[in-house]
Amino acid sequence: MALSYFWSREFLTNRYFLWLLFWCNALGTVYGYIWYGDQLEYTLAQQPLWQIVFVPDSPTASLFFTLSLLWVLYKPKSMVLNRIGHVLQALAVVTSVKYGIWAVSIIFAGWMQGGSQNWQDWMLIASHSAMAIEALLYVRFFGFRWGALVIAALWTLLNDTMDYTYDIFPWLPASLMDHLDGVRNFTVGLTLVSILCAWLALRQAKRA
């Protein structure tokens, strides 16, 4: 069996594999919200309620991807449901690529600044790398187009604005708190790169 089989349409759209991927992402999403539990409680206690939606970045990206798989498994006949699915899929690609790369980068940056390593860091590196990879693998099976991508881009840029305006960004390693401006600039730049990646992947998918 050729290695290329594992990223072929036949393998990636196999319903058994899709359900396996769905449940892995669903469980990862739940774990991600639990991981953010302390920050969610702190935000609810210290910040206006409306800001809470902008706090759990990676779990929400994982949630977008998990829901997007349902639109691959079950093609809705309703135009409205299709449009909703397309927006979710665009959000899944942009945010999964963005936060997948962001988390890995921040962990390594924290280490480089003298932060300590632990097994959870390696688990986060593996899971967040998978987020970015699976989003790029599945973009060709998603049905979204330019309008949905624009919505996803605006949402992700809005999230960045909220994070660094109201200090509700994901809690950073202590070693990076003195470099917050650099983290902010990197985050916004990565958002733009992720939008570009989604756009290029979409163009490639249309040609395939």
Side-chain angles (χ1 to χ4, degrees), residues 68-139:
S68 294
L69 291 177
L70 291 178
W71 266 259
V72 178
L73 283 159
Y74 301 103
K75 303 288 187 184
K77 296 180 180 179
S78 163
M79 181 177 294
V80 173
L81 286 177
N82 263 318
R83 295 291 183 266
I84 293 172
H86 292 167
V87 172
L88 285 172
Q89 290 167 351
L91 284 165
V93 174
V94 174
T95 60
S96 293
V97 171
K98 185 260 183 77
Y99 293 116
I101 296 173
W102 185 90
V104 174
S105 301
I106 291 299
I107 290 171
F108 278 112
W111 290 350
M112 292 174 65
Q113 292 297 319
S116 59
Q117 300 183 24
N118 57 64
W119 70 268
Q120 289 176 319
D121 288 341
W122 290 107
M123 179 270 292
L124 292 171
I125 288 170
S127 61
H128 284 78
S129 297
M131 281 176 58
I133 292 168
E134 67 184 5
L136 292 175
L137 282 175
Y138 275 87
V139 66

